[in-house]
Amino acid sequence: MPTNPLTGILSPSARKSAYAVYAAIGLLVGCIQVGYGSLDAATPAWLKVTLAIYAFIGTAIGATAASNVKPA
């Protein structure tokens, strides 16, 4: 299992907070996208860019979180 690259940089509580903030941002951006979709309106360019960047960053967040899981 890979080691967590943030272990020496951020404390467990700081990483937990970072994951919570990332989740909250995802919820907010997702709600905005659903809102535009429910209006049958075109998705604005800023929202498309935000979703693309959010998905890209999610790879690093997920890999970091996965490296914190201890085998049973």
Side-chain angles (χ1 to χ4, degrees):
M1 177 175 290
T3 60
N4 184 342
L6 297 179
T7 300
I9 299 172
L10 297 174
S11 68
S13 62
R15 289 193 310 267
K16 184 177 179 180
S17 295
Y19 301 146
V21 168
Y22 181 78
I25 291 170
L27 181 62
L28 176 64
V29 173
C31 287
I32 293 170
Q33 183 181 27
V34 168
Y36 274 102
S38 69
L39 295 173
D40 200 25
T43 303
W46 68 266
L47 183 55
K48 290 178 184 179
V49 171
T50 301
L51 288 166
I53 292 170
Y54 184 82
F56 181 75
I57 292 172
T59 303
I61 296 287
T64 302
S67 70
N68 286 308
V69 176
K70 296 184 180 8

